[in-house]
Amino acid sequence: MESNELGPEDVVLVDTNLFVSVGGVDHPKFRKLREFAERRQLTLQVPRRVKQELSTMHIADRVERAVDDGWAKLIDPPSPTDSDAVGAMDFVRREIARQTGKEEHRVEKADTVFAGLAIELLREGNPRVVVLTDDRIAAVAIERAVEQQGYGESILVLRRDDIIDDDGDVRVV
């Protein structure tokens, strides 16, 4: 992608680790994430599996607050009948397993979901899909999977450091 500038036309998918890194709903980083989304008129798309992961950590209230306040929404996983989406998810699972030495069945399902969702969302006519994650290996695998399906120019994968600096300030992206 030529521009890292995010705007209302972008579909922004958010990984678990972003909500972990911004702290609780009263933390300044959480408020800055909200301001980041609202200023750019973004609605952060949170796969239901991400919310499930946060529930196991007892911090799902972060997503619930974002949804209640209207700057995030929960979305369903990709269709299991979409062969390109499933192929992209399988690629991500294999690539993460290869890079980490994990068995494929131990790779986080939420990591694979982003590639499948990106494919589906792009096919629906969305001009660009942005994935926010802090997982370096997953980020590269997602980019490669989507490129392999012919959508490489329409996806932008940003890591937490691309939007939140070391002091917890949200960068202008």
Side-chain angles (χ1 to χ4, degrees):
M1 296 301 321
E2 290 183 20
S3 172
N4 287 354
E5 180 87 17
L6 302 182
E9 69 284 348
D10 291 315
V11 176
V12 182
L13 301 170
V14 182
D15 197 358
T16 305
N17 48 41
L18 187 68
F19 278 101
V20 171
S21 70
V22 297
V25 298
D26 294 325
H27 196 282
K29 286 189 219 177
F30 184 89
R31 287 193 299 272
K32 288 179 181 184
L33 179 62
R34 177 185 177 155
E35 292 166 9
F36 171 82
E38 289 177 341
R39 191 170 36 255
R40 289 161 183 79
Q41 299 176 319
L42 302 172
T43 301
L44 305 181
Q45 315 274 323
V46 182
R48 292 186 193 284
R49 187 171 292 277
V50 167
K51 185 174 182 243
Q52 290 170 345
E53 283 184 9
L54 292 169
S55 294
T56 64
M57 294 181 237
H58 306 291
I59 56 175
D61 63 321
R62 299 169 191 188
V63 173
E64 291 166 1
R65 171 66 68 85
V67 169
D68 289 346
D69 290 348
W71 54 277
K73 76 176 190 176
L74 294 173
I75 59 172
D76 292 322
S79 170
T81 61
D82 184 326
S83 61
D84 287 345
V86 171
M89 292 168 58
D90 288 344
F91 179 92
V92 170
R93 184 175 5 276
R94 284 190 307 274
E95 186 64 15
I96 292 172
R98 187 180 71 74
Q99 291 289 326
T100 62
K102 289 182 181 177
E103 295 178 23
E104 282 188 37
H105 70 278
R106 293 205 175 277
V107 171
E108 286 291 330
K109 301 289 188 266
D111 290 338
T112 67
V113 162
F114 292 107
L117 282 171
I119 297 289
E120 281 192 352
L121 291 163
L122 291 167
R123 278 197 180 154
E124 290 172 2
N126 293 289
R128 180 167 72 170
V129 174
V130 179
V131 177
L132 296 177
T133 184
D134 202 35
D135 185 324
R136 289 181 189 127
I137 293 171
V140 171
I142 292 163
E143 285 177 326
R144 290 188 58 215
V146 174
E147 284 174 12
Q148 208 175 44
Q149 297 293 338
Y151 294 96
E153 294 298 314
S154 301
I155 186 167
L156 175 64
V157 180
L158 296 173
R159 294 195 27 249
R160 180 185 54 91
D161 294 343
D162 294 325
I163 66 165
I164 300 174
D165 67 20
D166 292 336
D167 296 325
D169 291 328
V170 176
R171 299 177 195 266
V172 177
V173 177

